[in-house]
Amino acid sequence: SHERRYYISSLAPDAERLASAIRQHWGIENRVHWCLDVVFADDQMRARTAHAAHNLATLKRLTLNLLRQDPSQRKGSLKTRRLIASTSDDYRAELLGLK
């Protein structure tokens, strides 16, 4: 079978450069957006007033980065570590560099 994808771009028609741009886009999608959805159920967020959605998105990205840079290298998924951080003052202090 064959699959075709069509893209609109201002880039010159250079296959290597276009392929690189497409891979970079999907790398961001898989590394950030998918993780936000899995760890924080981001697609289910219903904050729509004023700047609430933007503020919550910023806090979620900050939290995701803190979990990824966990100095203790605790085992478990990001979702598990988020749940542990929500209940453990000690673990939260480690993540924030307070311990």
Side-chain angles (χ1 to χ4, degrees):
S1 71
H2 289 86
E3 290 185 21
R4 288 181 188 218
R5 310 247 187 226
Y6 295 95
Y7 297 93
I8 297 173
S9 173
S10 61
L11 294 175
D14 175 24
E16 281 188 36
R17 190 169 177 202
L18 289 170
S20 175
I22 291 165
R23 279 193 296 276
Q24 286 176 352
H25 166 78
W26 284 108
I28 292 169
E29 179 67 29
N30 292 334
R31 182 133 167 75
V32 178
H33 300 294
W34 183 82
C35 286
L36 286 172
D37 187 34
V38 170
V39 177
F40 297 102
D42 207 40
D43 287 347
Q44 311 306 319
M45 188 175 72
R46 299 292 177 241
R48 300 205 192 316
T49 57
H51 300 285
H54 184 266
N55 292 340
L56 286 171
T58 300
L59 289 172
K60 288 176 184 180
R61 283 190 195 98
L62 181 118
T63 304
L64 182 63
N65 288 329
L66 285 172
L67 290 171
R68 283 187 172 150
Q69 296 176 0
D70 182 1
S72 68
Q73 296 300 314
R74 181 181 293 261
K75 289 185 179 181
S77 68
L78 290 171
K79 190 172 187 177
T80 301
R81 287 187 272 161
R82 178 187 65 90
L83 292 172
I84 293 169
S86 70
T87 58
S88 169
D89 292 336
D90 291 334
Y91 182 51
R92 198 168 38 251
E94 280 180 48
L95 287 175
L96 295 171
L98 301 175
K99 247 187 171 182

